Amino acid sequence: MGAGPAFAAVQVARSSTASDLAALRRAESLSTPTALARTKTLPLAEALQPLVPGGALQRGTTVGVTGPGSTTLALVLSAVATAEGSWAAVAGVPALGLAAAAELGIALERLLVVARPPDGSWAVVVAALLDAVDLVVVRPPARLASADARRLQARARERGAVLCALGGTWPQPCDICFTVTAPAWVGPTGAGSGRLEARQVEVVGSGRGAASRERRLPLWLPGPDGAISTVAAPAATHPTQPVPAGLAAVS
Amino acid sequence: MSGLGVRTLVAWCPDWPVVAAGFPVGEPVAVVHANRVVACSVAARAEGVRRGLRRREAQGRCPGLTVVPVDVDVEARAFEAVAAAMDALTPRVEVVRPGTLAFPTRGPSRYHGGDEALAALVAGLATGALPGGAPTARVGVADGPFAAGLAARRAPGDHADPVPGAEVSRGPHPPAPGIERRILVIPAGASAAFLAPLPVATLDAVGAVRPDLTEVLRRLGLRTLGSLAELSARDVLGRFGPEGERAHRLARGLDDRPPALRTVPPELVVSIELDPPVDRVETAAFVARTLAAELAGRLAAQGLACTRVAVEAETDHEEARSRLWRSEGGLGPDALADRVRWQLDGWLNGPWGDRPTGGIRLLRLVPDQVVADDGRQLGFWGGAAAADERAARGVARLQGLLGPDAVTVPERRGGRAPGERVVLVPAHTVALGTARPRPDPSVAAPWPGHLPAPSPTLVHAEEVAAEVLDVAGAPVGVTGRGLVTAEPALVAVGGDRPVEVRMWAGPWPADERWWDPAAHRRRARIQVVLADGRAHLLTLEAGRWAVEATYD
């Protein structure tokens, strides 16, 4: 690819006919650093893309996730990035269901878990994780100093990592906030038959800057086929009705 | 370099592919793979059939030849009977390939009164397990599996003359008549002398190295293993690389185990006495850098890389702290110095009760695992390799801060309960970033009775007590037939106010490990969705409900 654009540019300098102009445009498109934009973001599952500006997680941002289903949403946020070669870490969630993480698409071989960071060195541990991996999911301790939180956010910005705080107790404003509301499970059909199969939720995305416009998205978290997908309009009107697997998922 | 090979016994069943195919050796039979003879019977050999001949050529030399295709599965299956016959002697039988088995003799040989007695016993057992009409098994004992395998092949057998120059030493228990012709015991330390007159091509005949290498050696005039062994190890390594070094080790009668498993020679250990004792991390780290450079120099001189190193520190009050550090790509001097600094930082600036009371007097770096240094190729653009390396550095740093077991990585296992299917193992026990090469066989097992996906995203380490009540407020139980006594209507978690149940499913009884009284668990699980939107997996065990997991 290296010789192509230069050759085209020389051609244009001699005579500027229509075909040479086309060659110049092609050369420009080839030399545009398209890879740069990608390296500044982490990829996101397709169903979640309408929730964030640009459709991908900007590196260096802090994401807050709250509400019933927040753990699932945080895992889904990490899934595509780990599958594409990024590392993720989870700190301070000793009860994390790893089987669920695998089902939601996280590449387990690129996941680090620090189950119980000691209270005294919590911020140090998270800072070290932000140095080491691209995406850190934390559940902050009950009394996290505001200054520590600010310092960790600055560290994430500096290292180009994404910090994802669970539980809504993060003492600083987050760049993007996701609130999971209105969970409705599908599966049990009464008298003990059936099993939990799928959950519909509405995810509300808000935040600062480009993310400040509130976005609402009905989601299957997870869907009847195990995947995360947006809810089709008819299904959203009867969220508590059991939906056959074939009808529900619309990607 | 390290010492002699592990004393090993090799039992070899000649012409195994023919025997496994079900033909007696008296018939002219050849086993053929890819149009070449890979094995033939004694009768066929007498007619001039040899290994490596083309099929037509073999049939030309011996018109009555029966040709059968190779079937490795049948060979392996038939050999299982021979391997099973050794179970009475040792649990550590290793089937090298169908027709050849090996095990270390140290324990069994002392029990049975010496290598000769053991070899005679093995020869008798193996021959007894062979089908009728097969040639008798040969047994060799020597230092290392390579020399033992050659000894087995050079045991005289029933119809041949004894090999001149090979001394068969007799033990205190004279073996049964006839057996002594089937065994060859090379005395400890004499393996190199035994190997020296053998042609260098024996290396590739037993599959130890590629034929190209032995061909080159032969053309260079190194016709016997002895002449190869006389060269210096460094010259051989420099000229022929790791494979040449392996051939050289084998020729000298040394261990041919992969280098990762061999014991580290003591001269690789580097240590330094600090006088006066050091109580500042920076000073110790400075010393550690020179120490690491010295170790790296010694490793490089032997063509080795260190993948695991123990850093040991001692104070003048006899307190000691040792920790193992591991890195897949080999630890360079800078990486090693960093690890020493992290470890000392974690110790000297750690919690008060844990800090040493004196200054550090002694620093020692002990390479715990070394491998041949074949370099490490990083991706051209950084990319995934760079991310893996960054994560590995971060893990090492956190281990310095929190201790080696604080950073964990998931590993798949089998199990029914949601927390059993994937477990956490310390990060330093696995190769970071690579899919685990051999998953636990129980991962693929079906585990009937486990709950299908979606799995709960929170699995509580300590189960939270819960109460499950019916409409009337009476506790709900599960009968011996696996049915609930009443429909659950209210659930109280951890002493909170009872919440109404929106949906429920179950119960699923699980009767696990009933064969083991200590580990036996009899449980029933139900799923509930509560009015506040939470969904739980509840477990009833010994009459008490608990929240096992939560679908968050």
Side-chain angles (χ1 to χ4, degrees):
Chain A
M1 159 180 148
F7 177 68
V10 169
Q11 288 278 307
V12 171
R14 286 204 188 123
S15 68
S16 81
T17 62
S19 67
D20 288 342
L21 273 176
L24 182 61
R25 284 203 191 92
R26 202 172 61 82
E28 190 188 359
S29 73
L30 282 175
S31 57
T32 312
T34 45
L36 275 180
R38 267 187 71 79
T39 55
K40 285 183 181 165
T41 58
L42 290 180
L44 205 52
E46 206 182 326
L48 296 180
Q49 285 174 3
L51 278 173
V52 288
L57 278 178
Q58 287 291 321
R59 284 173 178 268
T61 54
T62 307
V63 182
V65 185
T66 59
S70 53
T71 312
T72 310
L73 186 60
L75 292 174
V76 172
L77 285 174
S78 333
V80 176
T82 61
E84 293 192 2
S86 288
W87 282 71
V90 181
V93 192
L96 183 71
L98 295 158
E103 284 165 11
L104 292 169
I106 289 195
L108 290 184
E109 66 270 16
R110 280 189 289 277
L111 181 69
L112 301 177
V113 180
V114 182
R116 292 186 177 82
D119 277 347
S121 51
W122 195 89
V124 181
V125 170
V126 175
L129 286 175
L130 286 170
D131 284 350
V133 304
D134 285 334
L135 205 146
V136 183
V137 179
V138 297
R139 184 178 288 281
R143 279 179 301 163
L144 176 66
S146 201
D148 276 347
R150 201 166 47 236
R151 230 170 278 140
L152 287 176
Q153 280 180 271
R155 174 70 75 106
R157 256 196 305 282
E158 180 199 336
R159 308 296 304 196
V162 171
L163 180 64
C164 177
L166 289 171
T169 57
W170 190 254
Q172 286 283 316
C174 299
D175 298 311
I176 305 175
C177 297
F178 292 126
T179 312
V180 186
T181 56
W185 280 92
V186 170
T189 51
S193 49
R195 61 178 174 87
L196 296 185
E197 282 170 18
R199 171 172 54 181
Q200 281 189 17
V201 295
E202 188 170 53
V203 179
V204 184
S206 58
R208 300 191 298 183
S212 58
R213 187 171 64 83
E214 189 181 280
R215 298 150 198 260
R216 288 177 172 270
L217 186 67
L219 272 185
W220 284 108
L221 195 72
D225 54 350
I228 311 303
S229 51
T230 32
V231 176
T237 53
H238 307 288
T240 51
Q241 293 293 311
V243 179
L247 290 179
V250 174
S251 56
Chain B
M1 299 299 270
S2 64
L4 296 170
V6 178
R7 195 99 181 124
T8 306
L9 179 147
V10 169
W12 171 59
C13 303
D15 305 330
W16 182 253
V18 178
V19 175
F23 292 93
V25 278
E27 256 177 60
V29 180
V31 178
V32 175
H33 177 61
N35 209 30
R36 297 267 176 185
V37 174
V38 293
C40 56
S41 65
V42 174
R45 207 173 298 127
E47 298 276 1
V49 178
R50 292 284 179 275
R51 281 185 63 191
L53 279 188
R54 258 199 286 276
R55 175 189 170 140
R56 284 270 168 234
E57 212 173 339
Q59 282 171 328
R61 289 187 185 184
C62 173
L65 189 71
T66 313
V67 175
V68 288
V70 73
D71 189 341
V72 182
D73 289 353
V74 167
E75 282 176 43
R77 210 179 309 137
F79 194 62
E80 197 51 44
V82 183
M86 299 302 136
D87 279 355
L89 299 175
T90 174
R92 300 177 63 188
V93 176
E94 180 188 332
V95 176
V96 181
R97 72 186 79 83
T100 308
L101 61 84
F103 59 86
T105 63
R106 187 163 166 260
S109 160
R110 285 172 72 168
Y111 183 80
H112 292 286
D115 287 338
E116 288 79 13
L118 178 70
L121 201 56
V122 170
L125 279 174
T127 306
L130 289 175
T136 50
R138 318 282 164 79
V139 175
V141 182
D143 301 332
F146 173 67
L150 286 179
R153 278 161 191 273
R154 300 191 88 75
D158 293 334
H159 311 290
D161 293 328
V163 177
E167 285 293 318
V168 182
S169 59
R170 302 258 182 264
H173 308 285
I179 288 264
E180 74 271 16
R181 296 180 63 85
R182 305 183 206 146
I183 65 174
L184 181 56
V185 176
I186 311 298
S191 291
F194 162 68
L195 293 172
L198 300 182
V200 83
T202 43
L203 282 169
D204 80 65
V206 298
V209 298
R210 281 181 298 126
D212 312 8
L213 181 64
T214 53
E215 180 63 20
V216 170
L217 292 174
R218 199 181 59 75
R219 282 196 222 164
L220 287 172
L222 299 166
R223 293 206 162 75
T224 61
L225 292 176
S227 56
L228 175 60
E230 280 166 22
L231 301 179
S232 104
R234 281 172 68 170
D235 291 347
V236 173
L237 179 62
R239 174 68 178 77
F240 297 110
E243 195 180 15
E245 195 234 23
R246 186 171 140 82
H248 186 246
R249 288 183 62 78
L250 291 173
R252 281 185 300 161
L254 299 182
D255 206 350
D256 85 325
R257 296 276 164 191
L261 291 177
R262 77 184 193 227
T263 51
V264 177
E267 73 264 27
L268 283 179
V269 177
V270 293
S271 64
I272 192 165
E273 300 243 1
L274 302 171
D275 191 22
V278 170
D279 53 2
R280 285 172 55 84
V281 175
E282 289 75 21
T283 326
F286 186 73
V287 176
R289 195 161 287 274
T290 46
L291 207 57
E294 190 188 339
L295 176 62
R298 286 192 189 182
L299 287 168
Q302 306 205 18
L304 297 174
C306 178
T307 53
R308 203 165 74 172
V309 65
V311 178
E312 299 174 0
E314 266 177 46
T315 67
D316 48 357
H317 291 171
E318 302 290 319
E319 293 151 305
R321 175 68 69 97
S322 169
R323 189 167 288 167
L324 277 177
W325 295 93
R326 182 188 185 109
S327 167
E328 287 305 317
L331 288 159
D334 289 344
L336 205 50
D338 277 349
R339 277 152 182 80
V340 177
R341 186 162 54 77
W342 292 334
Q343 175 174 338
L344 295 180
D345 199 10
W347 194 24
L348 295 175
N349 299 330
W352 274 107
D354 209 22
R355 282 188 199 181
T357 53
I360 289 171
R361 184 182 59 82
L362 179 75
L363 264 181
R364 195 184 294 128
L365 301 182
V366 185
D368 188 58
Q369 213 174 63
V370 293
V371 294
D373 189 1
D374 50 0
R376 190 181 188 202
Q377 187 65 53
L378 293 183
F380 193 59
W381 300 113
D388 289 354
E389 197 152 290
R390 196 167 69 126
R393 271 204 306 275
V395 167
R397 170 150 170 65
L398 282 166
Q399 285 172 341
L401 278 172
L402 304 176
D405 297 339
V407 189
T408 49
V409 292
E411 192 166 89
R412 287 168 197 270
R413 299 272 168 87
R416 286 188 185 81
E420 288 171 358
R421 313 237 318 263
V422 184
V423 298
L424 290 170
V425 297
H428 62 85
T429 59
V430 299
L432 288 178
T434 51
R436 313 284 179 263
R438 247 188 324 180
D440 196 316
S442 63
V443 173
W447 295 105
H450 81 271
L451 284 178
S455 300
T457 48
L458 294 177
V459 182
H460 304 292
E462 296 95 29
E463 290 184 350
V464 186
E467 270 186 88
V468 180
L469 310 171
D470 64 4
V471 186
V476 173
V478 175
T479 64
R481 287 176 175 267
L483 298 170
V484 284
T485 53
E487 289 218 4
L490 294 168
V491 168
V493 175
D496 289 352
R497 201 171 47 81
V499 183
E500 190 193 329
V501 173
R502 275 273 167 76
M503 297 171 157
W504 68 282
W508 297 284
D511 196 1
E512 290 175 277
R513 298 185 177 274
W514 42 264
W515 57 89
D516 181 359
H520 182 201
R521 295 193 79 172
R522 194 150 178 271
R523 291 182 277 191
R525 296 193 172 93
I526 63 169
Q527 289 172 329
V528 291
V529 180
L530 304 182
D532 58 5
R534 307 256 158 208
H536 295 296
L537 180 66
L538 302 178
T539 310
L540 177 69
E541 187 171 16
R544 277 196 300 277
W545 286 99
V547 182
E548 187 183 12
T550 301
Y551 296 85
D552 186 41

